[in-house]
Amino acid sequence: MTAALETIGLIMRFGGITATDDVSFRLERGVRHALIGPNGAGKTTFVNLLTGVLTPSAGTVLLGGQDITALNREARVKRGIARTFQINQLFGAMTPLEMIALVVSERLGEGGRPLARLDASPRLVEETADILARFRLDDIMDERISTLPYGKQRQIEIAAAFAAKPSVLLLDEPAAGVPEAERRELLDLVASLPEDVSVLLIEHDMDLVFRFATRITVLVNGRVLAEGEPADVARDPAVKAAYLGEGAHG
């Protein structure tokens, strides 16, 4: 079966530094996949290559079997890749309702003033309401985003990415800065997304990773050190030595 997202021999050089070193990777359809590694492993560089922020020095990026290596980030979003960032990319003066309606409106090609179109566009109303409900934002949909707790802001950012209707959703440390009590809820929401959305999670919280992921790739010094099911990765001696630490997760 064709992978949802795949890289073949991906290389990214910055002068004499090789940040991504011959990475071949497959994100299978419907999988909850985690990308882990120590600071400086090249995780964010790799995601930037997937999303078109960076152009690789060599190698290929495939989305649903189609070569997208030369496409810019806007074209990749239209093809079905959405992402979140380590730092929220939200319009603080908006409400969750306005934010989600804006993304849905743009995707439907309606643009302009989405709230002014709510009465005239049943599809916009239905899709916006469904997304707000899925991410448990109904009760705060009219609050200004900048006034909301940080955990809720992260939920809104993921909801906005999902509103673009991606086939591949890339989450760059979505739980960073989120209080412990809210982290599991956040990842549970992501884990419950429809199976036609393949998710790649970049995360440092290993408890969340091993709870969320059905497959894990370990990146060290820009290269894939190990890949497999969580239990196999946790037992890998090279992974323990390089990242998890002896005795971690068994």
Side-chain angles (χ1 to χ4, degrees):
M1 182 181 293
T2 304
L5 184 65
E6 184 176 5
T7 68
I8 302 171
L10 206 61
I11 296 173
M12 186 69 222
R13 298 189 184 95
F14 298 100
I17 298 173
T18 302
T20 304
D21 191 358
D22 194 26
V23 173
S24 294
F25 167 85
R26 283 175 64 92
L27 176 66
E28 302 293 349
R29 295 180 185 273
V31 165
R32 288 6 182 180
H33 197 133
L35 179 68
I36 66 174
N39 289 329
K43 302 184 295 297
T44 296
T45 297
F46 181 62
V47 172
N48 286 338
L49 291 168
L50 297 178
T51 55
V53 175
L54 295 172
T55 300
S57 305
T60 305
V61 181
L62 302 171
L63 179 65
Q66 301 297 310
D67 189 343
I68 63 168
T69 312
L71 297 184
N72 63 27
R73 69 186 87 179
E74 291 79 13
R76 295 189 196 200
V77 170
K78 291 179 180 178
R79 291 288 189 95
I81 294 181
R83 74 173 291 185
T84 64
F85 296 81
Q86 292 181 20
I87 300 174
N88 280 339
Q89 306 286 309
L90 295 171
F91 298 111
M94 281 187 167
T95 67
L97 172 61
E98 291 170 334
M99 185 82 195
I100 302 306
L102 176 63
V103 178
V104 174
S105 179
E106 289 291 332
R107 174 168 53 78
L108 296 178
E110 298 184 359
R113 299 169 56 200
L115 292 187
R117 296 174 180 270
L118 283 176
D119 291 337
S121 178
R123 184 177 175 187
L124 175 58
V125 172
E126 181 180 0
E127 290 199 27
T128 299
D130 286 348
I131 293 168
L132 289 169
R134 173 180 289 277
F135 285 88
R136 303 172 191 169
L137 300 170
D138 316 58
D139 58 338
I140 58 167
M141 66 180 183
D142 294 319
E143 303 290 331
R144 191 181 296 265
I145 291 174
S146 61
T147 68
L148 296 172
Y150 189 68
K152 286 296 181 184
Q153 291 185 25
R154 295 302 264 184
Q155 279 181 232
I156 295 165
E157 187 178 20
I158 296 172
F162 178 76
K165 210 166 187 178
S167 59
V168 172
L169 180 59
L170 308 176
L171 305 177
D172 195 351
E173 298 190 36
V178 177
E180 182 70 31
E182 300 172 36
R183 289 185 181 185
R184 289 193 174 187
E185 178 186 8
L186 188 69
L187 268 295
D188 285 347
L189 288 171
V190 176
S192 67
L193 292 179
E195 290 187 0
D196 60 355
V197 180
S198 306
V199 180
L200 178 61
L201 170 75
I202 298 90
E203 181 56 60
H204 280 296
D205 186 324
M206 289 299 97
D207 287 333
L208 287 181
V209 166
F210 281 89
R211 187 168 181 264
F212 169 82
T214 54
R215 192 164 184 83
I216 295 175
T217 297
V218 184
L219 202 64
V220 175
N221 295 326
R223 297 183 65 90
V224 174
L225 177 69
E227 184 172 293
E229 296 182 359
D232 294 331
V233 170
R235 287 193 295 264
D236 189 310
V239 174
K240 288 184 177 181
Y243 183 52
L244 293 176
E246 290 295 334
H249 294 274

